[in-house]
Amino acid sequence: MNPDVIVIGGGAAGMMAALTAAGNGAEVLLLERNQKVGRKLYITGKGRCNLTNDCTVEEVLRHTPQNSRFLTSAVARFPPSAVKDFFEGLGVPLKTERGNRVFPQSDRAADIIDALFLALRRAGVELVEDRAVEILAGERVTGVKTRRGSWRSGAVILATGGVSYPLTGSSGDGYRMAAELGHTIIPPKPSLVPLVSPDEACARMQGLSLRNVALRVKNQKGKTLFHEQGEMLFTHFGVSGPLVLSASAHMRDFAKEQYTLWIDLKPALEEKTLDARLLRELGENPNRDFHHVLEALVPRSMVPVLAERSGIEPDRKANSVTREQRRRLLELLKGFPIAVSGPRPVEEAIVTSGGVKVGEVDPRTMESKRVPGLYFAGEILDVDAYTGGFNLQIAWSTGRAAGEAAALAARERR
């Protein structure tokens, strides 16, 4: 078999590209180095697969800090509503949760992967477990060389992902193969990644999960780069959790910038209202130790840290807390600072920022402007978004665009 289209990479973008190309009449070969397709999908959404966000095209682009304009055409042609229809058409009932996050009703990522796998089989896509090592090309693409041999084809879709989560097969091979054909690779950096902090308080509060807090990121000039409400987690190295992962996408230059996280522990209360509550708690418990009063306001493992930073001894009686000390406590409750020294390694990132320079790719077809017959889809491109299903939406949309264009080109070559 010399297929019309070869897709390299059996992740979200690759499977969508293969299905789309086959659905448009092309003979398709899908090369995947793992025994099973969709390995990274198994770990998305904490194993539940947050497959898109139920929002408008404009909202998808607003939640894409890196090269969102490049995605306008692809997302407009295959928006979140179409993604939902697609998967429900494959027999996977969906549900929408907080933040418009879309999941399978079963809460099982495996249901999404199984549905895609069966669809690939039904569409006649040939699945081959092999690792691509080179894209063969002269004036245009002519095929793919793998560890086991070679395949001839006039269209190749590169959908190998980035370098995050290497155990799922994201080795950076796609960057190398694209570079060998003359493409510029923006150096990959971690995005949607836990953050390292030099603040020893993080380790003291290790394992503490904060819910319904607001997180603000500021640079050294005091400019707010991110502000959102949600959940976060203290760890032995710093901080993690959904809020932190989203915030990390805005912290892109640790070499030149210094960043500080500010946690509002009581975002539902204005300072004046919170101060009144503090006065009431202290006044109603005049002879109780301060740390007992504080336990009514924050999780127990945070009490020693807040007491220390507010300058109030834990065993001080509530009725002896001074106005200045109460003011300091109020400031901490509304803005608890955590210095950040950098991200965790790129291998721990949910997605990779960086990749194939989008100026070298046609945004309508995902075809290379340098090598005819070469297409890109998914995380290999220099685009990345926040958490909430937006990165998978990008994978589906770019995979769809690449599959349609590659199949059309194959028909024209016949």
Side-chain angles (χ1 to χ4, degrees), residues 9-11 15 30-40 42 113-114 117 120-121 126-131 148 166-170:
M15 286 190 284
L30 175 58
L31 293 171
E32 168 54 46
R33 58 183 292 183
N34 294 309
Q35 284 186 330
K36 294 183 178 180
V37 292
R39 281 192 64 179
K40 193 172 180 181
Y42 277 111
I113 299 160
D114 289 347
F117 178 76
L120 289 167
R121 288 295 195 198
E126 183 174 358
L127 292 166
V128 174
E129 183 188 344
D130 201 352
R131 183 172 182 173
R148 298 179 183 175
L167 291 177
T168 64
S170 301

Side-chain angles (χ1 to χ4, degrees), residues 20 40 88 125 165 175 196 323 351 380:
T20 304
K40 193 172 180 181
E88 291 189 323
V125 174
Y165 287 125
Y175 296 155
V196 178
R323 182 178 179 180
V351 299
I380 190 171

Side-chain angles (χ1 to χ4, degrees), residues 330-351:
L330 177 65
E331 290 172 352
L332 286 169
L333 289 172
K334 295 298 289 181
F336 186 90
I338 298 288
V340 177
S341 56
R344 289 289 284 177
V346 68
E347 292 81 9
E348 296 181 26
I350 292 178
V351 299

Side-chain angles (χ1 to χ4, degrees), residues 222-259:
K223 180 181 178 182
T224 297
L225 306 176
F226 171 88
H227 185 213
E228 197 170 301
Q229 191 167 326
E231 302 175 20
M232 61 176 292
L233 172 72
F234 289 103
T235 71
H236 66 284
F237 57 76
V239 285
S240 186
L243 264 184
V244 172
L245 297 179
S246 290
S248 71
H250 296 261
M251 304 160 73
R252 294 180 173 268
D253 199 350
F254 282 96
K256 297 180 181 178
E257 293 266 22
Q258 293 180 351
Y259 303 101

Side-chain angles (χ1 to χ4, degrees), residues 184-231:
T184 304
I185 305 300
I186 306 301
K189 296 180 181 179
S191 185
L192 303 184
V193 65
L195 298 170
V196 178
S197 172
D199 192 332
E200 49 83 30
C202 294
R204 288 172 63 186
M205 295 185 287
Q206 177 181 348
L208 171 61
S209 178
L210 298 177
R211 295 188 175 188
N212 300 317
V213 297
L215 183 66
R216 190 183 300 270
V217 177
K218 292 185 178 182
N219 62 14
Q220 68 262 41
K221 295 179 181 178
K223 180 181 178 182
T224 297
L225 306 176
F226 171 88
H227 185 213
E228 197 170 301
Q229 191 167 326
E231 302 175 20

Side-chain angles (χ1 to χ4, degrees), residues 5-22 28-32 37-41 44 49 51 71 74 78 83 86-87 112-113 116 120 125 156-162 170 366 375-381 383 390-404 406:
V5 178
I6 297 175
V7 180
I8 305 176
M15 286 190 284
M16 180 58 76
L19 277 171
T20 304
V28 182
L29 169 69
L30 175 58
L31 293 171
E32 168 54 46
V37 292
R39 281 192 64 179
K40 193 172 180 181
L41 281 173
T44 61
C49 194
L51 59 99
L71 295 168
F78 197 56
V83 170
F86 173 82
F87 281 102
I112 296 293
I113 299 160
L116 288 168
L120 289 167
V125 174
V156 171
I157 301 174
L158 201 48
T160 51
S170 301
M366 299 296 137
Y375 302 81
F376 300 98
E379 195 181 346
I380 190 171
L381 291 159
V383 290
F390 299 105
N391 285 288
L392 273 179
Q393 175 63 46
I394 291 170
W396 309 130
S397 293
T398 56
R400 186 81 162 197
E404 286 177 349

